C-alpha cells in the first residue's frame, strides 16, 4: 500500500486511524484533536512538517523523529517513543512533554514559545539544558516560571506577563525584549542573572527593573538599565559597562571584577545598603564613582562607608539611621546648590 501524502494542511478532529499504509505529512501542518491509531501504517514527517496536538483525548504518543513545528495544546500532553529533532519552533499552550528517556533537541535558530492561558512552569521536557532552543518567547499574561538554571543563547522575548527566574541562574547571551508596562523579567533575592556576549556584540543589554541576588556582566557592549536594579548578593563586572542612566542601583556588597566599569550619571541614584564592612567609595576602592545624582547610605556596619575620593552629588544626599559615612582626610564631598540633604 502506497499510503497518503498530504497536499495541504489537514485537521483531524476525531480518530486518525492508519489501517494500512503510511500517512505522510510532508511540508504541511497536521492538526490532531483526537487519538492516533496505527495498525499497519505509520505517521511520517520530515524537517518541513508541522504537528499541532489539541483536544482533550489521552496523551498523544509520538514516534516521529523530525518536525519543523510542534504545538501542544492538550491537557494530557505528549509521550515520546523516539528522539525528536525540531527545525523551527515548539509552541506550548497546555500539557506536558513526557520524554520517556528519549530526547527533544532543537536546531540552531529555533524558538520555544510559552503561550498558556494559565501560569506555566518550564520543564526539562520542552526546555532541555543540552541542545535547547536558541530563542525563548513568553506570551502568557499569568506568567512563566523557570524550573531550573538555563542558558538562552539567542533572545528572550517577553511579550506579555512575567518571566520569573526563581531560585535559579539565568544566562542570557542575546537580547531581552519586554513590554514597557505589564510584565518583564522578574527576579528575587534568590535569583541570579548572567549577561553574556550575544550574537550581535555591538548591542548593549537593556534590563528592566529587577531584584536579584547575584549579577554578572560579561558583554563588551555593556548593560544599560531601563529601571531600578536591586542586588542582594554580588555584582561582578567582568566585561562591559554597567550604565545606570537615570535609575537607582542598590548595592549590598562590594563590586568585583573591573570596578571602573560602573557608570553613574548626574541623574542616577546609588544606595549603599546591607552590612558589608568592605564597601568604600574611591578610585582604588570597590565603589568607583566621581559623580552621582543621589547617594543614599543605609549600610549598617559599625565602620560605615568611607569616601576616599572626590565625589559630586547633584540631587540628594541621605545617611539613614544607624548608618555612618566617613570622609577620609584630604578628600571632599561636593554637594551642589539645591541638593536635598535628609537623614
Amino acid at each position: 500500500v502506497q499510503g497518503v501524502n498530504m497536499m495541504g494542511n489537514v485537521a483531524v478532529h476525531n480518530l486518525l486511524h492508519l489501517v494500512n499504509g503510511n500517512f505522510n505529512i510532508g511540508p504541511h501542518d497536521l492538526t490532531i484533536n483526537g487519538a492516533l491509531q496505527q495498525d499497519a501504517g505509520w505517521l511520517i514527517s520530515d524537517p518541513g512538517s508541522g504537528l499541532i496536538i489539541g483536544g482533550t483525548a489521552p496523551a498523544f504518543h509520538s514516534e516521529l523523529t523530525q518536525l519543523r513545528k510542534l504545538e501542544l495544546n492538550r491537557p494530557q500532553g505528549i509521550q515520546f517513543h523516539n528522539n525528536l529533532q525540531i527545525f523551527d519552533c515548539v509552541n506550548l499552550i497546555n500539557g506536558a512533554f513526557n520524554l520517556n528517556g528519549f530526547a527533544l533537541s532543537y536546531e540552531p535558530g529555533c524558538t520555544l514559545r510559552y503561550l498558556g492561558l494559565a501560569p506555566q512552569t518550564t520543564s526539562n521536557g520542552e526546555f532541555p539544558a543540552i541542545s535547547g532552543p536558541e530563542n525563548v518567547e513568553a506570551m502568557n499574561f499569568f506568567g512563566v516560571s523557570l524550573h531550573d538554571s538555563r542558558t538562552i543563547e539567542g533572545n528572550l522575548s517577553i511579550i506579555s506577563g512575567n518571566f520569573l527566574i526563581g531560585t535559579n541562574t539565568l544566562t542570557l547571551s542575546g537580547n531581552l525584549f519586554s513590554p514597557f508596562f505589564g510584565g518583564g523579567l522578574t527576579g528575587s533575592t534568590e535569583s541570579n542573572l548572567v549577561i553574556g556576549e550575544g550574537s550581535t556584540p555591538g548591542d548593549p543589554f537593556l534590563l528592566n527593573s529587577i531584584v536579584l541576588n547575584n549579577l554578572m556582566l560579561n558583554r563588551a557592549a555593556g548593560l544599560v538599565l531601563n529601571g531600578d536594579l536591586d542586588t542582594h548578593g554580588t555584582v561582578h563586572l567582568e566585561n562591559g559597562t554597567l550604565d545606570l542612566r537615570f535609575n537607582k542601583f542598590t548595592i549590598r556588597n562590594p563590586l568585583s571584577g573591573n570596578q571602573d566599569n560602573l557608570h553613574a550619571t548626574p541623574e542616577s541614584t546609588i544606595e549603599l545598603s546591607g552590612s558589608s564592612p568592605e564597601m568604600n567609595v574611591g578610585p582604588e576602592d570597590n565603589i568607583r564613582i566621581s559623580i552621582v545624582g543621589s547617594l543614599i547610605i543605609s549600610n549598617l556596619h559599625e565602620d560605615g562607608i568611607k569616601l576616599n575620593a572626590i565625589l559630586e552629588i547633584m540631587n540628594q544626599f541621605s545617611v539613614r539611621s544607624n548608618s555612618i559615612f566617613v570622609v577620609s582626610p584630604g578628600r571632599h564631598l561636593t554637594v551642589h546648590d539645591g541638593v536635598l540633604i535628609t537623614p
Side-chain angles (χ1 to χ4, degrees):
V1 179
Q2 295 298 318
V4 175
N5 294 322
M6 286 174 49
M7 301 302 293
N9 297 336
V10 173
V12 180
H13 296 290
N14 292 303
L15 174 68
L16 177 57
H17 189 182
L18 305 183
V19 178
N20 195 1
N22 297 329
F23 194 95
N24 187 7
I25 303 173
H28 310 291
D29 288 351
L30 172 63
T31 300
I32 301 179
N33 291 326
L36 171 65
Q37 182 177 334
Q38 301 176 112
D39 293 345
W42 298 96
L43 187 62
I44 304 297
S45 65
D46 60 42
S49 303
L51 178 63
I52 301 169
I53 303 168
T56 57
F60 185 88
H61 291 260
S62 172
E63 299 187 27
L64 302 176
T65 59
Q66 295 178 324
L67 282 172
R68 168 180 50 86
K69 175 180 73 174
L70 174 60
E71 181 169 300
L72 179 62
N73 187 16
R74 180 176 294 190
Q76 300 302 319
I78 182 173
Q79 293 193 24
F80 283 56
H81 298 277
N82 214 333
N83 295 329
L84 177 60
Q85 192 175 15
I86 298 294
F87 287 83
D88 182 34
C89 65
V90 167
N91 299 332
L92 178 55
I93 301 172
N94 193 10
F97 285 63
N98 186 348
L99 299 183
N100 282 327
F102 295 98
L104 174 68
S105 62
Y106 295 79
E107 288 296 294
C110 285
T111 299
L112 168 61
R113 298 186 179 95
Y114 292 92
L115 307 173
L117 300 177
Q120 290 179 286
T121 300
T122 66
S123 75
N124 292 329
E126 83 287 347
F127 197 170
I130 299 175
S131 298
E134 182 172 319
N135 306 298
V136 174
E137 294 181 7
M139 189 167 63
N140 184 328
F141 177 81
F142 299 94
V144 177
S145 298
L146 193 63
H147 77 291
D148 201 353
S149 296
R150 283 294 183 268
T151 295
I152 300 175
E153 297 291 348
N155 298 323
L156 172 61
S157 300
I158 306 170
I159 300 170
S160 64
N162 294 312
F163 192 90
L164 294 85
I165 303 173
T167 59
N168 308 296
T169 297
L170 176 61
T171 300
L172 296 176
S173 298
N175 293 314
L176 172 66
F177 300 102
S178 61
F180 289 105
F181 303 101
L185 185 64
T186 302
S188 71
T189 58
E190 298 180 291
S191 303
N192 303 316
L193 179 62
V194 177
I195 299 172
E197 196 66 76
S199 58
T200 53
D203 295 335
F205 190 93
L206 304 179
L207 184 63
N208 54 256
S209 294
I210 195 168
V211 176
L212 293 171
N213 179 34
N214 300 327
L215 171 67
M216 178 176 176
L217 175 61
N218 189 18
R219 175 175 295 203
L223 164 65
V224 175
L225 296 188
N226 269 343
D228 295 341
L229 174 60
D230 185 356
T231 57
H232 290 253
T234 61
V235 177
H236 183 77
L237 304 178
E238 180 69 22
N239 189 22
T241 299
L242 172 54
D243 188 350
L244 305 187
R245 295 282 175 95
F246 48 82
N247 303 289
K248 181 181 179 181
F249 180 26
T250 301
I251 314 170
R252 289 176 173 81
N253 289 289
L255 301 180
S256 62
N258 191 344
Q259 293 131 331
D260 291 321
N261 284 0
L262 175 63
H263 178 61
T265 71
E267 294 80 27
S268 60
T269 297
I270 290 180
E271 179 172 357
L272 304 179
S273 188
S275 57
S276 171
E278 302 171 352
M279 292 174 60
N280 296 304
V281 179
E284 303 299 328
D285 292 299
N286 44 58
I287 310 296
R288 298 180 184 176
I289 54 175
S290 59
I291 188 170
V292 68
S294 299
L295 179 64
I296 302 171
I297 307 298
S298 59
N299 180 279
L300 297 178
H301 192 270
E302 61 182 9
D303 292 337
I305 302 292
K306 294 182 179 63
L307 176 63
N308 297 317
I310 298 173
L311 177 64
E312 291 185 77
I313 298 178
M314 310 299 293
N315 295 315
Q316 180 181 0
F317 177 54
S318 176
V319 179
R320 299 288 168 81
S321 176
N322 299 318
S323 297
I324 300 173
F325 187 69
V326 179
V327 179
S328 298
R331 306 300 180 183
H332 65 264
L333 177 69
T334 300
V335 180
H336 283 252
D337 289 342
V339 167
L340 178 64
I341 301 178
T342 63

